[in-house]
Structure formats: C-alpha cells, structure tokens
C-alpha cells in the first residue's frame, strides 16, 4: 500500500479544503466492526498498523482506538469520539464487518441500521460482510502486507465471481432494510490456519418489524435534542 496514507490525506485536502493543521487532527479508519455483546452494541474502528504506514511519522500515525460498548450505536459512536484524540474521518472506509450475534438480534440490527442510514457516518459504497467473531480477523492483521480493510476489499473483489453474487455495499443494505423486499446475501468470513476464508454466503431476509414508528420517533427526538 505504497504511499496510500499520503494519497488519502492529499485527496481529503483537495476535496475539503482542509488545512494541514486540520488534517493532523483527523484519523482515517479503513474498516469498522459492529456486533452484539452481552445485550449491548460492541463497536470499533480498524486502522493500519504503524508498520504498514510508509513515509509517515510514527508518533503522528499512532491512533488509540479502543473498542467500546453501549446500549445503542449512537452511544457507541459518542463514546468512541470521546476516547479518541483525533476525529475519525470515514470517507475512505473500505469494509464494514457485522458480527453474527448482531445479525441474529433483530431489534439491535434494525436499530443500528436505522442510525447508520440517518447519520450517514459511513460511505454507502462500503462493502458489508458477516463473521462469527470479529476479533479473529483482527488477530491476523499483523501478518498482512497492508491494513485489514484494504486487504479485505481486494479479497472480496477477487472472489466475487467465484461466489456468483454481487458484493453488497452499505447503501444497498440500508435501502433494502427500508424496502423490506429482497433476500440479501452477504459474504460470511472466517479465519482458518491464519488465512481469511469466504466460508459461505450469509442470507438475510424476512426483515423484522421491530423498528416501529414509536422507535423512529425516539430516534428523531434524540437527533433534535428535544
């Protein structure tokens, strides 16, 4: 991923007109993990390891991004923002990993997608995958030549034709969550012998109806601060 971080920074600078000082206060996650754990939402970002960042000052590149737990995705994002020293700029995020526990928890799944749709904190072209244990994927990152997000992006693109499915991005997932019409297939990833494996396609259909009008009203009230 030669000069990848530099290219990202320059792109943001050109598109956003940010000053160098403003860029120093930002960090650029390549992926995010969302799961259900003990009745709460577990959330974390994935950043390149320092050794994977070329031509970058090691101290400036350091990102302290601990995983957080919260009653909702909104609470997790706030906790994460409070604990990180830099603002997470997700415009270049590659992959969103959803834990299987979250996929099976209809209420929290609906709640999380509703928040992502309303806030648009992640790009709509971000690939979406499912895994049983997101931590297993993180464990192998140190052995990869690039950050896990970029690695998984290429992995999914290279195996898309083999699986005979169209890779699902976040925009389509959010749209279908609203329409509740189609059965969707997401890549189900696992780790075997230290290698990422596209084990099967996770089928998501028969969308739950837990996201009631009452809950939508609560989201709007929280957003407006009323």
């Amino acid at each position: 991923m030669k000069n990848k971080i530099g290219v990202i920074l320059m792109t943001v600078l050109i598109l956003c007109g940010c000053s160098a000082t403003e860029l120093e206060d930002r960090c650029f996650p390549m992926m995010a993990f969302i799961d259900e754990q003990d009745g709460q939402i577990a959330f974390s970002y994935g950043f390149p390891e320092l050794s994977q960042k070329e031509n970058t000052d090691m101290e400036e590149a350091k990102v302290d991004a601990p995983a957080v737990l919260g009653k909702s995705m909104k609470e997790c994002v706030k906790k994460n923002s409070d604990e990180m020293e830099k603002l997470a700029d997700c415009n270049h995020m590659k992959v969103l990993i959803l834990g299987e526990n979250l996929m099976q928890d209809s209420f929290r799944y609906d709640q999380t997608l509703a928040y992502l749709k309303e806030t648009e904190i992640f790009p709509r072209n971000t690939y979406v995958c499912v895994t049983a244990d997101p931590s297993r994927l993180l464990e192998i990152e140190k052995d990869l030549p690039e950050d896990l997000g970029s690695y998984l992006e290429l992995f999914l693109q290279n195996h898309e034709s083999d699986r005979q499915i169209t890779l699902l991005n976040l925009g389509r997932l959010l749209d279908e969550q609203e329409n509740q019409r189609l059965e969707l297939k997401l890549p189900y990833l696992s780790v075997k012998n230290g290698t990422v494996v596209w084990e099967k396609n996770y089928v998501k259909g028969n969308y739950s109806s837990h996201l009631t009008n009452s809950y939508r009203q609560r989201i709007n009230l929280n957003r407006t601060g009323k």
Side-chain angles (χ1 to χ4, degrees):
M1 59 180 252
K2 186 176 182 180
N3 295 327
K4 180 173 292 185
I5 301 300
V7 171
I8 290 175
L9 294 178
M10 287 300 298
T11 302
V12 174
L13 178 62
I14 293 171
L15 294 179
C16 302
C18 299
S19 68
T21 302
E22 290 172 331
L23 285 175
E24 290 176 355
D25 294 330
R26 295 172 182 246
C27 56
F28 302 90
M30 294 291 104
M31 64 189 309
F33 301 85
I34 309 175
D35 201 1
E36 184 276 335
Q37 180 179 325
D38 299 327
Q40 298 188 84
I41 296 294
F43 169 66
S44 65
Y45 286 120
F47 294 92
E49 294 287 335
L50 296 182
S51 60
Q52 296 166 338
K53 296 186 176 185
E54 299 182 14
N55 301 323
T56 304
D57 181 84
M58 296 294 280
E59 187 60 32
E60 291 183 358
K62 185 177 181 180
V63 178
D64 185 14
V68 296
L69 291 174
K71 295 180 180 179
S72 66
M73 186 64 188
K74 178 180 180 179
E75 182 177 326
C76 285
V77 171
K78 184 179 185 306
K79 282 185 177 181
N80 183 276
S81 178
D82 291 341
E83 293 184 14
M84 290 178 58
E85 296 180 355
K86 298 183 179 183
L87 174 67
D89 186 331
C90 300
N91 287 323
H92 301 276
M93 204 171 83
K94 308 295 186 182
V95 180
L96 171 62
I97 302 291
L98 301 179
E100 191 170 9
N101 287 341
L102 177 67
M103 303 297 290
Q104 296 174 352
D105 186 330
S106 297
F107 175 74
R108 289 183 176 82
Y109 174 82
D110 286 344
Q111 183 191 57
T112 297
L113 263 60
Y115 176 84
L116 296 181
K117 186 175 182 67
E118 292 201 12
T119 60
E120 299 182 343
I121 62 172
F122 300 150
R124 288 177 60 87
N125 64 349
T126 302
Y127 290 137
V128 184
C129 316
V130 178
T131 190
D133 184 1
S135 65
R136 291 291 308 280
L137 289 173
L138 282 172
E139 290 173 359
I140 69 168
E141 183 171 31
K142 64 181 182 301
D143 299 321
L144 299 176
E146 56 190 338
D147 66 89
L148 183 58
S150 298
Y151 176 85
L152 289 180
E153 178 188 43
L154 292 176
F155 174 86
L156 293 169
Q157 292 172 346
N158 291 337
H159 291 82
E160 180 178 12
S161 60
D162 300 341
R163 293 293 177 169
Q164 298 181 346
I165 69 170
T166 300
L167 288 173
L168 188 70
N169 61 36
L170 180 58
R172 185 175 169 221
L173 178 62
L174 296 177
D175 290 343
E176 288 304 326
Q177 176 70 4
E178 184 74 22
N179 299 330
Q180 300 187 6
R181 294 179 302 183
L182 298 180
E183 182 179 79
L184 300 176
K185 295 181 179 180
L186 299 87
Y188 186 94
L189 306 181
S190 61
V191 176
K192 295 183 178 180
N193 299 320
T195 303
V196 176
V197 176
W198 187 331
E199 186 174 331
K200 59 184 178 181
N201 294 327
Y202 188 96
V203 179
K204 184 64 177 176
N206 299 321
Y207 290 96
S208 65
S209 58
H210 286 86
L211 192 57
T212 62
N213 289 331
S214 175
Y215 175 68
R216 291 181 189 277
Q217 291 171 359
R218 292 203 302 273
I219 292 178
N220 290 332
L221 289 174
N222 289 335
R223 186 176 58 177
T224 57
K226 297 180 180 179

